Amino acid sequence: SPSDDTMGQLLRDSVAFLSEREDVDPARLGLTGFCAGGRYTMLFLPQIDEFAAGVAWYGFPYRGDTIPADLIDQLDAPMLMIHGTADQPSPIGEIYDYANALTEAGKTFELKVYYGEPHGFMLDGGQLRQDEVAQDAFEEMVRFFQRKLG
């Protein structure tokens, strides 16, 4: 659980490292994360311009030292949020509130909601789920990045 400042620096260092590689197109960098990583996606997608798109898995738009929802006005990159309706740590109502705020601000986003799925639904007993829901959610992320990052 690094601080927001530490995580921001780690992401900026990662962008710099990737941008130096010949096998990476720095204009096509995406950001994704699960749980706290979903929050970091919501938080840093508006702050780090090198990220051209982001996918936030069951994130927390209204929590942390810096509240991701407070940065909506800075968000220029498209974002996909993937969430379950039975998520107790990050209630779906907060995600709908965040989506409404994004809409009011004219931001580009997509929201994929899975009925009855809890927080962390991609894992089962520490293993990646292989069922229809998990496969669909993963493919949603891949298709989003393919569309937005070319």
Side-chain angles (χ1 to χ4, degrees):
S1 57
S3 70
D4 290 348
D5 289 340
T6 298
M7 183 54 67
Q9 189 59 55
L10 287 169
L11 288 171
R12 287 177 180 86
D13 290 347
S14 296
V15 166
F17 172 78
L18 290 171
S19 296
E20 295 297 318
R21 294 181 53 108
E22 291 183 19
D23 61 339
V24 173
D25 180 352
R28 296 175 54 208
L29 294 178
L31 178 63
T32 190
F34 297 79
C35 186
R39 178 184 166 272
Y40 289 138
T41 300
M42 294 169 169
L43 180 63
F44 291 109
L45 194 59
Q47 297 185 64
I48 301 175
D49 293 335
E50 289 84 357
F51 290 120
V55 177
W57 295 77
Y58 24 88
F60 299 87
Y62 295 101
R63 302 207 192 131
D65 295 334
T66 302
I67 306 298
D70 291 344
L71 303 177
I72 287 175
D73 62 324
Q74 298 175 41
L75 180 64
D76 293 323
M79 178 171 41
L80 167 64
M81 295 173 287
I82 299 175
H83 218 81
T85 61
D87 190 325
Q88 292 181 0
S90 178
I92 191 67
E94 290 183 7
I95 299 304
Y96 290 145
D97 290 344
Y98 184 60
N100 284 332
L102 290 166
T103 298
E104 289 172 8
K107 301 303 177 176
T108 302
F109 75 96
E110 296 176 22
L111 174 60
K112 178 68 178 188
V113 176
Y114 291 90
Y115 175 77
E117 293 298 329
H119 190 76
F121 70 84
M122 287 296 285
L123 295 177
D124 183 21
Q127 299 295 317
L128 190 60
R129 282 175 43 184
Q130 300 297 317
D131 61 18
E132 183 180 351
V133 168
Q135 289 178 0
D136 184 75
F138 180 81
E139 290 170 7
E140 284 284 335
M141 176 189 68
V142 170
R143 285 190 302 267
F144 180 80
F145 279 137
Q146 287 172 337
R147 285 192 323 271
K148 301 304 179 182
L149 300 177

